[in-house]
Amino acid sequence: MSVSIKDVAARANVSPATVSRALAGGQVSAALRAKVEEAVKATGYRPNLSARRLRSQESQTIGLIVADISNPFFTAVARAVEDEAYKAGLRVILCNTDENPDKEALYLQLMEEERVTGVIFAPTRATVGKLAKRQFNFPMVLIDRAEPGSGQDAVVLDNAGAAALLVEHLRDRGYRRIEGLFGNASTTGVERRLGYEEAMRRFGLTPSARFIPPSIKAAEEEVAGWFRRGPAPEAVIASNGLLLMGVVRALRAAGKSMPDDLAVAGFDNESWTDLIGPGLTVIEQPVATMGRTAMQLLLERLEEPDAPLRKMVLGGRCLTRGSTTGRERP
Amino acid sequence: MSVSIKDVAARANVSPATVSRALAGGQVSAALRAKVEEAVKATGYRPNLSARRLRSQESQTIGLIVADISNPFFTAVARAVEDEAYKAGLRVILCNTDENPDKEALYLQLMEEERVTGVIFAPTRATVGKLAKRQFNFPMVLIDRAEPGSGQDAVVLDNAGAAALLVEHLRDRGYRRIEGLFGNASTTGVERRLGYEEAMRRFGLTPSARFIPPSIKAAEEEVAGWFRRGPAPEAVIASNGLLLMGVVRALRAAGKSMPDDLAVAGFDNESWTDLIGPGLTVIEQPVATMGRTAMQLLLERLEEPDAPLRKMVLGGRCLTRGSTTGRERP
DNA sequence: ATGGAAACTGAAAACGATTTCAGTTGGCCG
DNA sequence: CGGCCAACTGAAATCGTTTTCAGTTTCCAT
């Protein structure tokens, strides 16, 4: 069917071995190399990557497993990972788990069958704890989400620190009753919550946090409830872009405005956050750096499989905007 | 190294052929099947997909080539394509071209080497015309962008019709000097421009369109120029989400507001468009349907390689919001 | 009991590349 | 001129599956 290395060899009157060497830049006389190249062009030959992988036992492919590529945070991370990967001559298989542990297990198994070179993975809280128990036939770098005992390299945000930055900022602007909304699927929610609670206590304030599913709708309903039943807090911190959008939607639906009815701060500097009303105060995550770093850690791990475990913790930046302008104290 | 089917066979005291059949659900006695399954579990065997692909000559993989997965339009399409693909037991290789024809050529070649089952492709204007000339070893479905003579199945929006919807809406609300901003990299820009111009003329208005690169920055600079040098039009139509965001940014930077200083309408109902100021009037593209349909067309093409060429044209919906509220006539 | 069909199993041949190993040249030096 | 090394080339093995082909067993109807 498809033209194989044998066809090229036949056409150039050489052996398949010579064709292989000529194309791979091995030791071949200039004359033969030219003949081979001519034959390749004439036949329209394309190497068969499956055959190459089978023989050479390396897939030159990595897996990227995230919750949902539609989430701008993961989109940005994925884009960075892919750029680095293709630069390194690696292909990327992308998988969306929708925070579903079953899908995570399924895709991890798929990765083993693909004999991938490595995997970059943003696991759910349910899965991250089990990773240490299993042995994979590829190295893995966790991204965005990790736990002390997971036994894998990782790139994460300083979640607690970033949450504390927001609390501190809100307190400085005079807010006291600061509510926290945290995603319940990932370790980031947990860590951000701890950072929030710790900071609140440090300032002598009473923390009040809610764990909810990481979706726009969940946040919207939660905040709508505050306005319906009251009392609403003075300020809210949303632990990711989805929750942040939910908060904004609820405010709009209830005809409330920022920061007067509710001051709003959150995570993820998505492209629209500076365009909404007075602009949203957010933690900017170094998304591209995270993706690039994950890829780097993976490549280095491939070079040195026995190097000590590494966890890269990156700092977030607090971008203050109009949604937390400040409050005249009573 | 890795455990192969032979190891399983040895452990179960059967031949590799039997193991293969047992796992593929072939004709095997229940007793042997159980023995094989036990052996699989004991050895931790995972089939090697490269070997399987080589032998069976089918990759069970499709390529998805788009301009930039960070663009929410493509994100949504990609998500739909992937869901459908995994449902059909196919893997997806995602490639970002950044509207660069060289990268497009590179990735198309990669797809041939991967021996992919098929490709879903959103080509640039530069490439789409050349597709008919080349022969690929896989079927291809164009998505979002196509041209009459491209010789491939396609799923596209009724671009001219959608642009006309916007013109009609703006005219109904009393706007007359309506400027159009169109992306210059894809056929959608061209088609939307034609639809815009045709509709303007139909209403006795003078079309005034600009072709610019499909980036936030390009649109922002263009609109900023209007306010700096004047005169600004009464309304603007932006032919995609990026340009739309650029328009909004320029307005904000110049301290202008919608719709009084400039009425704004555009393409792509991105999640933030109803939250900006009075809400943006946009054409909602059936993104998920587009992705799903592309996958369907591809699967059907695989079933019936010689079926006639098909082009699916989907209608856009006009969501009217505050950015085009209307104009009191002088 | 016997014939034949049906069910099951294993040996071996692919799939298309890479790579080892063993030649075969040709050139150069003594 | 003989010998040796370097450079080049090809035959054949290999990667891990699937699948064909042929052989064996089982079972049922006659």
Coordinates of all heavy atoms in Angstrom, one line a residue, chain C residues 3-24:
Chain C
dG3 P -15.4 -43.0 8.3 OP1 -15.0 -44.0 7.3 OP2 -14.4 -42.5 9.3 O5' -16.1 -41.7 7.6 C5' -17.5 -41.8 7.3 C4' -18.1 -40.4 7.4 O4' -18.5 -40.1 8.8 C3' -17.1 -39.3 7.0 O3' -17.6 -38.6 5.9 C2' -16.8 -38.5 8.2 C1' -18.0 -38.9 9.2 N9 -17.5 -39.0 10.5 C8 -16.4 -39.7 11.0 N7 -16.3 -39.7 12.3 C5 -17.4 -39.0 12.7 C6 -17.7 -38.6 14.0 O6 -17.2 -38.9 15.1 N1 -18.9 -37.8 14.0 C2 -19.6 -37.4 12.9 N2 -20.6 -36.7 13.1 N3 -19.2 -37.8 11.7 C4 -18.1 -38.5 11.7
dG4 P -16.8 -37.4 5.2 OP1 -17.3 -37.3 3.8 OP2 -15.4 -37.6 5.5 O5' -17.4 -36.2 6.1 C5' -18.8 -36.0 6.3 C4' -19.0 -34.9 7.2 O4' -18.6 -35.3 8.6 C3' -18.1 -33.7 6.9 O3' -18.9 -32.5 6.8 C2' -17.1 -33.6 8.0 C1' -17.8 -34.2 9.2 N9 -17.0 -34.9 10.1 C8 -15.8 -35.6 9.9 N7 -15.3 -36.1 11.0 C5 -16.1 -35.6 12.0 C6 -16.0 -35.8 13.4 O6 -15.1 -36.4 14.0 N1 -17.0 -35.1 14.1 C2 -18.0 -34.4 13.5 N2 -18.9 -33.9 14.3 N3 -18.1 -34.2 12.2 C4 -17.1 -34.9 11.5
dA5 P -18.3 -31.2 6.2 OP1 -19.1 -30.8 5.0 OP2 -16.9 -31.2 6.2 O5' -18.8 -30.2 7.3 C5' -20.1 -30.4 7.9 C4' -20.1 -29.8 9.3 O4' -19.3 -30.6 10.2 C3' -19.5 -28.4 9.4 O3' -20.4 -27.6 10.2 C2' -18.2 -28.6 10.0 C1' -18.4 -29.8 10.9 N9 -17.2 -30.6 11.2 C8 -16.3 -31.0 10.3 N7 -15.3 -31.7 10.8 C5 -15.6 -31.7 12.2 C6 -15.0 -32.3 13.3 N6 -13.9 -33.0 13.2 N1 -15.6 -32.1 14.5 C2 -16.7 -31.4 14.6 N3 -17.4 -30.8 13.6 C4 -16.8 -31.0 12.4
dA6 P -20.2 -26.0 10.3 OP1 -21.6 -25.4 10.2 OP2 -19.1 -25.6 9.4 O5' -19.7 -25.8 11.8 C5' -20.3 -26.6 12.8 C4' -19.5 -26.4 14.1 O4' -18.4 -27.3 14.0 C3' -19.0 -25.0 14.3 O3' -19.2 -24.7 15.7 C2' -17.5 -25.2 14.0 C1' -17.2 -26.6 14.4 N9 -16.1 -27.3 13.7 C8 -15.8 -27.3 12.4 N7 -14.7 -28.0 12.1 C5 -14.4 -28.5 13.3 C6 -13.3 -29.4 13.7 N6 -12.4 -29.9 12.8 N1 -13.2 -29.8 15.0 C2 -14.1 -29.3 15.9 N3 -15.1 -28.5 15.6 C4 -15.2 -28.1 14.3
dA7 P -18.9 -23.2 16.2 OP1 -20.0 -22.8 17.0 OP2 -18.4 -22.4 15.1 O5' -17.7 -23.5 17.2 C5' -17.8 -24.6 18.1 C4' -16.4 -24.9 18.8 O4' -15.6 -25.5 17.8 C3' -15.7 -23.6 19.2 O3' -15.3 -23.8 20.5 C2' -14.5 -23.5 18.2 C1' -14.3 -25.0 17.9 N9 -13.7 -25.3 16.6 C8 -14.0 -24.8 15.4 N7 -13.2 -25.2 14.4 C5 -12.3 -26.1 15.0 C6 -11.3 -26.9 14.6 N6 -10.9 -26.9 13.3 N1 -10.6 -27.6 15.5 C2 -11.0 -27.6 16.7 N3 -12.0 -26.9 17.3 C4 -12.6 -26.1 16.4
dC8 P -14.8 -22.5 21.3 OP1 -15.2 -22.7 22.8 OP2 -15.2 -21.3 20.6 O5' -13.2 -22.7 21.2 C5' -12.7 -23.9 21.8 C4' -11.4 -24.2 21.2 O4' -11.4 -24.2 19.8 C3' -10.2 -23.2 21.5 O3' -9.5 -23.7 22.6 C2' -9.4 -23.1 20.3 C1' -10.1 -24.2 19.4 N1 -10.0 -24.0 17.9 C2 -9.1 -24.7 17.2 O2 -8.3 -25.5 17.8 N3 -9.0 -24.5 15.8 C4 -9.9 -23.7 15.2 N4 -9.8 -23.6 13.9 C5 -10.9 -23.0 16.0 C6 -10.9 -23.1 17.3
dT9 P -8.4 -22.8 23.3 OP1 -8.1 -23.4 24.7 OP2 -8.8 -21.4 23.2 O5' -7.1 -23.0 22.4 C5' -6.4 -24.3 22.5 C4' -5.4 -24.3 21.5 O4' -6.0 -24.1 20.2 C3' -4.3 -23.3 21.6 O3' -3.2 -23.9 22.2 C2' -4.0 -22.8 20.1 C1' -4.9 -23.7 19.3 N1 -5.6 -23.1 18.1 C2 -5.2 -23.4 16.9 O2 -4.3 -24.2 16.6 N3 -5.9 -22.8 15.9 C4 -6.9 -21.9 16.0 O4 -7.5 -21.4 15.0 C5 -7.3 -21.6 17.4 C7 -8.4 -20.6 17.6 C6 -6.6 -22.2 18.4
dG10 P -1.9 -23.0 22.5 OP1 -1.1 -23.7 23.6 OP2 -2.3 -21.6 22.6 O5' -1.0 -23.2 21.2 C5' -0.7 -24.5 20.7 C4' 0.2 -24.5 19.5 O4' -0.6 -24.0 18.4 C3' 1.3 -23.5 19.6 O3' 2.4 -24.1 18.9 C2' 0.8 -22.3 18.8 C1' -0.1 -22.9 17.8 N9 -1.2 -22.1 17.3 C8 -2.0 -21.3 18.0 N7 -2.9 -20.7 17.3 C5 -2.7 -21.1 16.0 C6 -3.3 -20.7 14.8 O6 -4.3 -20.0 14.6 N1 -2.7 -21.3 13.7 C2 -1.6 -22.2 13.8 N2 -1.2 -22.7 12.6 N3 -1.0 -22.5 14.9 C4 -1.6 -21.9 16.0
dA11 P 3.9 -23.6 19.0 OP1 4.6 -24.7 19.7 OP2 3.8 -22.2 19.5 O5' 4.3 -23.6 17.5 C5' 3.7 -24.5 16.6 C4' 4.1 -24.1 15.1 O4' 3.1 -23.3 14.5 C3' 5.4 -23.4 15.0 O3' 6.0 -23.7 13.7 C2' 5.0 -21.9 15.0 C1' 3.7 -22.0 14.3 N9 2.6 -21.1 14.7 C8 2.4 -20.7 16.0 N7 1.4 -19.8 16.1 C5 0.9 -19.7 14.8 C6 -0.1 -19.0 14.2 N6 -1.0 -18.2 14.9 N1 -0.3 -19.1 12.9 C2 0.5 -19.9 12.2 N3 1.5 -20.6 12.6 C4 1.7 -20.5 13.9
dA12 P 7.3 -23.1 13.2 OP1 8.0 -24.1 12.3 OP2 8.1 -22.5 14.4 O5' 6.8 -21.9 12.3 C5' 5.8 -22.1 11.3 C4' 5.5 -20.9 10.5 O4' 4.5 -20.1 11.2 C3' 6.7 -20.0 10.3 O3' 6.5 -19.3 9.1 C2' 6.6 -19.0 11.5 C1' 5.1 -18.8 11.4 N9 4.5 -18.2 12.6 C8 4.9 -18.3 13.9 N7 4.1 -17.7 14.7 C5 3.1 -17.2 13.9 C6 2.0 -16.4 14.3 N6 1.7 -16.0 15.5 N1 1.2 -16.1 13.2 C2 1.5 -16.5 12.0 N3 2.5 -17.2 11.6 C4 3.3 -17.5 12.6
dA13 P 7.7 -18.6 8.3 OP1 8.3 -19.7 7.4 OP2 8.6 -18.0 9.3 O5' 7.0 -17.5 7.4 C5' 5.7 -17.8 6.9 C4' 4.9 -16.6 6.8 O4' 4.4 -16.2 8.1 C3' 5.6 -15.4 6.3 O3' 4.8 -14.6 5.5 C2' 6.0 -14.6 7.6 C1' 4.7 -14.9 8.4 N9 4.9 -14.7 9.9 C8 5.9 -15.1 10.7 N7 5.8 -14.9 11.9 C5 4.5 -14.2 12.0 C6 3.8 -13.7 13.0 N6 4.2 -13.7 14.3 N1 2.6 -13.2 12.7 C2 2.2 -13.1 11.4 N3 2.8 -13.6 10.4 C4 4.0 -14.1 10.7
dA14 P 5.4 -13.6 4.5 OP1 4.2 -13.0 3.7 OP2 6.5 -14.2 3.8 O5' 6.0 -12.4 5.4 C5' 5.8 -11.1 5.2 C4' 4.5 -10.6 5.9 O4' 4.4 -11.4 7.1 C3' 4.6 -9.2 6.2 O3' 3.7 -8.5 5.4 C2' 4.1 -9.1 7.7 C1' 4.0 -10.5 8.1 N9 4.8 -10.8 9.3 C8 6.1 -11.4 9.3 N7 6.6 -11.5 10.5 C5 5.6 -11.0 11.4 C6 5.5 -10.9 12.8 N6 6.5 -11.3 13.6 N1 4.4 -10.3 13.2 C2 3.4 -9.9 12.4 N3 3.4 -10.0 11.1 C4 4.5 -10.6 10.6
dC15 P 4.3 -7.2 4.5 OP1 3.6 -7.2 3.3 OP2 5.8 -7.3 4.6 O5' 3.9 -5.9 5.3 C5' 2.7 -5.8 6.1 C4' 3.0 -4.9 7.3 O4' 3.4 -5.8 8.4 C3' 4.2 -4.0 7.1 O3' 3.7 -2.8 6.6 C2' 4.8 -3.9 8.5 C1' 4.1 -5.0 9.3 N1 5.1 -5.9 10.0 C2 4.9 -6.3 11.3 O2 3.9 -5.8 11.9 N3 5.7 -7.1 11.9 C4 6.8 -7.6 11.3 N4 7.6 -8.4 11.9 C5 7.0 -7.2 9.9 C6 6.2 -6.4 9.3
dG16 P 4.4 -2.1 5.4 OP1 3.5 -1.0 4.9 OP2 5.0 -3.1 4.5 O5' 5.7 -1.3 6.1 C5' 5.4 -0.3 7.0 C4' 6.7 0.1 7.7 O4' 7.1 -1.1 8.5 C3' 7.9 0.4 6.7 O3' 8.5 1.5 7.2 C2' 8.8 -0.8 6.8 C1' 8.5 -1.2 8.3 N9 8.9 -2.6 8.6 C8 8.8 -3.7 7.8 N7 9.2 -4.8 8.4 C5 9.5 -4.4 9.7 C6 10.0 -5.1 10.8 O6 10.2 -6.4 10.8 N1 10.1 -4.4 11.9 C2 9.9 -3.0 12.0 N2 10.1 -2.4 13.1 N3 9.5 -2.3 10.9 C4 9.3 -3.0 9.8
dA17 P 9.4 2.4 6.3 OP1 8.9 3.8 6.4 OP2 9.6 1.7 5.1 O5' 10.8 2.3 7.1 C5' 11.1 3.3 8.1 C4' 11.5 2.6 9.4 O4' 11.2 1.2 9.4 C3' 13.0 2.6 9.6 O3' 13.3 3.8 10.4 C2' 13.2 1.4 10.5 C1' 12.0 0.5 10.2 N9 12.2 -0.8 9.6 C8 12.0 -1.2 8.4 N7 12.3 -2.4 8.1 C5 12.7 -2.9 9.3 C6 13.2 -4.2 9.8 N6 13.3 -5.2 9.0 N1 13.5 -4.3 11.1 C2 13.4 -3.2 11.9 N3 13.0 -2.0 11.6 C4 12.7 -1.9 10.3
dT18 P 14.8 4.2 10.5 OP1 14.8 5.5 11.2 OP2 15.4 4.1 9.2 O5' 15.5 3.2 11.5 C5' 15.2 3.2 12.8 C4' 16.0 2.2 13.6 O4' 15.8 0.9 12.9 C3' 17.5 2.4 13.6 O3' 17.9 2.1 14.9 C2' 18.0 1.4 12.6 C1' 17.0 0.3 12.7 N1 16.8 -0.6 11.6 C2 17.0 -2.0 11.7 O2 17.3 -2.5 12.8 N3 16.8 -2.7 10.6 C4 16.4 -2.3 9.4 O4 16.2 -3.1 8.5 C5 16.2 -0.9 9.3 C7 15.8 -0.3 7.9 C6 16.5 -0.1 10.3
dT19 P 19.3 2.7 15.5 OP1 19.1 3.1 16.8 OP2 19.9 3.5 14.5 O5' 20.1 1.3 15.5 C5' 19.6 0.2 16.1 C4' 20.5 -1.0 15.8 O4' 20.1 -1.6 14.6 C3' 21.9 -0.7 15.7 O3' 22.7 -1.7 16.3 C2' 22.2 -0.6 14.2 C1' 21.3 -1.8 13.8 N1 20.9 -1.8 12.4 C2 20.6 -3.1 11.8 O2 20.7 -4.1 12.4 N3 20.2 -3.0 10.5 C4 20.1 -1.9 9.7 O4 19.7 -1.9 8.5 C5 20.4 -0.6 10.4 C7 20.2 0.7 9.6 C6 20.7 -0.7 11.7
dT20 P 24.1 -1.4 17.0 OP1 23.7 -0.9 18.3 OP2 24.9 -0.7 16.1 O5' 24.7 -2.9 17.2 C5' 23.8 -4.0 17.4 C4' 24.2 -5.2 16.5 O4' 23.7 -5.0 15.2 C3' 25.7 -5.4 16.4 O3' 25.9 -6.8 16.6 C2' 26.0 -5.0 15.0 C1' 24.7 -5.4 14.3 N1 24.4 -4.7 13.0 C2 24.0 -5.4 11.9 O2 23.9 -6.6 11.9 N3 23.8 -4.7 10.8 C4 23.9 -3.3 10.6 O4 23.6 -2.8 9.6 C5 24.3 -2.6 11.8 C7 24.5 -1.1 11.7 C6 24.6 -3.3 12.9
dC21 P 27.4 -7.3 17.1 OP1 27.2 -8.0 18.4 OP2 28.3 -6.1 16.9 O5' 27.7 -8.3 15.9 C5' 26.6 -8.9 15.2 C4' 27.1 -9.3 13.8 O4' 26.7 -8.2 12.9 C3' 28.6 -9.4 13.7 O3' 28.9 -10.7 13.1 C2' 29.1 -8.2 12.9 C1' 27.8 -8.0 12.0 N1 27.7 -6.6 11.5 C2 27.1 -6.4 10.2 O2 26.8 -7.4 9.5 N3 27.0 -5.1 9.7 C4 27.4 -4.1 10.5 N4 27.2 -2.9 10.0 C5 27.9 -4.3 11.8 C6 28.0 -5.5 12.3
dA22 P 30.4 -11.2 13.0 OP1 30.4 -12.5 13.7 OP2 31.3 -10.1 13.4 O5' 30.5 -11.5 11.5 C5' 29.3 -11.8 10.7 C4' 29.5 -11.3 9.3 O4' 29.3 -9.9 9.2 C3' 31.0 -11.5 8.8 O3' 30.8 -12.1 7.5 C2' 31.5 -10.1 8.7 C1' 30.3 -9.3 8.4 N9 30.4 -7.9 8.8 C8 30.9 -7.3 9.9 N7 30.8 -6.0 9.9 C5 30.3 -5.7 8.7 C6 30.0 -4.5 8.1 N6 30.1 -3.3 8.6 N1 29.4 -4.5 6.8 C2 29.2 -5.7 6.2 N3 29.5 -6.9 6.7 C4 30.0 -6.8 8.0
dG23 P 32.1 -12.8 6.9 OP1 31.5 -13.5 5.6 OP2 32.8 -13.6 7.9 O5' 33.0 -11.6 6.5 C5' 33.5 -11.3 5.2 C4' 32.4 -10.8 4.3 O4' 31.7 -9.7 5.0 C3' 33.0 -10.3 3.0 O3' 32.3 -10.7 1.9 C2' 33.0 -8.8 3.2 C1' 32.0 -8.5 4.3 N9 32.4 -7.5 5.2 C8 33.1 -7.8 6.5 N7 33.4 -6.7 7.1 C5 32.9 -5.7 6.3 C6 32.9 -4.2 6.5 O6 33.4 -3.6 7.4 N1 32.4 -3.6 5.4 C2 31.8 -4.2 4.3 N2 31.3 -3.4 3.3 N3 31.8 -5.5 4.1 C4 32.3 -6.2 5.1
dT24 P 33.2 -11.0 0.6 OP1 32.3 -11.8 -0.3 OP2 34.5 -11.5 0.9 O5' 33.3 -9.5 -0.1 C5' 32.2 -8.8 -0.5 C4' 32.6 -7.4 -0.7 O4' 32.9 -6.7 0.5 C3' 33.8 -7.2 -1.6 O3' 33.4 -6.5 -2.8 C2' 34.8 -6.4 -0.8 C1' 33.9 -5.8 0.2 N1 34.6 -5.4 1.5 C2 34.6 -4.1 1.9 O2 34.1 -3.2 1.3 N3 35.1 -3.9 3.2 C4 35.7 -4.9 4.0 O4 36.2 -4.6 5.1 C5 35.7 -6.2 3.5 C7 36.3 -7.3 4.3 C6 35.1 -6.4 2.3

